[in-house]
Amino acid sequence: MDILFWYWWVAGLLLLALEAFFPGAVFLWMGVSALVTGTLAWAAPGLPGEWALALFGALSIASFFAYRRFKPASRPTDQPHLNRRGAAYVGRTLTLTEPIVNGLARVRVDDSQWRIKGPDLPSGTQVTVVAVEGATLVVQAQP
């Protein structure tokens, strides 16, 4: 089985391109391993194909687990609710512009309309957001 060094380089570049479409660092390290295997096959032209495949497999697994072990920890952000807008409203006090009937209503919060769920209450009542269920804010009357 004769695998030329440039086959490894092409495979490595294809794996790196796949990483762009399916991020997760798996294809990244497989691509780097294929490039390293190609470079070693170029430096040692007599490297048997079976050994090159074994080297590629070992490098892929080792590099992936090394990345998982030594990757930088995620840093805390100054905007923890950036992609969870509803969670940012928990604890906020709102005034009902329409009554809650059969446990459901709509309310304007900042620049958007939100569906709210809670006990039946008349309009003008002050409520507090206590939880978020999907795209629905759960409210309760303020004491």
Side-chain angles (χ1 to χ4, degrees):
M1 185 166 146
D2 193 23
I3 301 176
L4 300 175
F5 68 91
W6 62 269
Y7 291 176
W8 287 109
W9 290 349
V10 170
L13 292 175
L14 289 174
L15 287 166
L16 291 175
L18 272 176
E19 180 67 26
F21 294 106
F22 305 105
V26 175
F27 293 118
L28 171 71
W29 295 109
M30 290 175 66
V32 169
S33 298
L35 293 173
V36 169
T37 302
T39 303
L40 291 175
W42 172 73
L47 184 67
E50 293 82 7
W51 282 96
L53 283 171
L55 177 66
F56 168 70
L59 284 173
S60 295
I61 292 170
S63 61
F64 176 72
F65 284 112
Y67 163 75
R68 297 264 317 243
R69 171 76 171 94
F70 297 112
K71 75 177 176 181
S74 59
R75 295 176 296 199
T77 178
D78 60 339
Q79 297 179 353
H81 302 297
L82 181 63
N83 292 324
R84 299 177 306 141
R85 276 185 57 193
Y89 297 137
V90 173
R92 189 163 172 183
T93 301
L94 307 171
T95 303
L96 296 178
T97 55
E98 63 182 64
I100 300 178
V101 179
N102 295 327
L104 295 174
R106 298 192 71 70
V107 69
R108 185 155 189 85
V109 183
D110 295 334
D111 61 348
S112 59
Q113 290 276 335
W114 282 82
R115 182 178 171 171
I116 58 172
K117 179 171 108 172
D120 290 352
L121 297 168
S123 61
T125 305
Q126 296 259 324
V127 294
T128 303
V129 179
V130 293
V132 178
E133 293 178 359
T136 303
L137 302 176
V138 180
V139 298
Q140 68 182 16
Q142 257 192 327

